[in-house]
Amino acid sequence: SIASADMDLNQLEAFLTAQTKKQGGITSDQAAVIAKFWKNHRTHIHESLINQSRWDNVLKNMNWRVDLMSQLRHIDQINTPVAIVEMELGKNGQ
């Protein structure tokens, strides 16, 4: 629950307090250990969850440009910007 919600320190404290008051919950010593672990490893845990939830394909490269049309059949379309985006996908880890 802590990791999936990416709890900040205030949320963590409220969550652990609720867990200590719950019937069959954790002790205050266990809550202190969990809080210390989360404070020290929050970033690593969050990055790990993101990596596990990614699809196989990742964005390898992206190029873009904006073109203005200078010659068209209809005068109202001249100087209309057109965005061109090129994205290169690849397998994760390759």
Side-chain angles (χ1 to χ4, degrees), residues 37-83:
F37 182 83
W38 181 247
K39 289 174 189 175
N40 292 332
H41 299 287
R42 178 182 178 189
T43 305
H44 179 70
I45 293 169
H46 185 69
E47 288 174 5
S48 177
L49 287 175
I50 289 172
N51 288 335
Q52 291 174 24
S53 66
R54 279 190 190 144
W55 293 352
D56 286 340
N57 289 330
V58 295
L59 182 63
K60 294 288 189 181
N61 191 18
M62 185 175 104
N63 296 313
W64 64 275
R65 72 175 194 249
V66 176
D67 291 345
L68 292 175
M69 299 295 187
S70 60
Q71 291 183 343
L72 287 171
R73 187 174 289 178
H74 302 286
I75 193 81
D76 60 336
Q77 293 177 337
I78 292 179
N79 293 330
T80 301
V82 176

Side-chain angles (χ1 to χ4, degrees), residues 16-33:
L16 292 176
T17 300
Q19 294 301 312
T20 58
K21 294 179 180 179
K22 214 158 101 171
Q23 181 71 22
I26 61 176
T27 66
S28 58
D29 289 339
Q30 289 171 327
V33 169

Side-chain angles (χ1 to χ4, degrees), residues 76-94:
D76 60 336
Q77 293 177 337
I78 292 179
N79 293 330
T80 301
V82 176
I84 298 172
V85 179
E86 178 186 9
M87 294 184 285
E88 179 184 351
L89 300 176
K91 295 287 182 187
N92 195 10
Q94 294 178 352

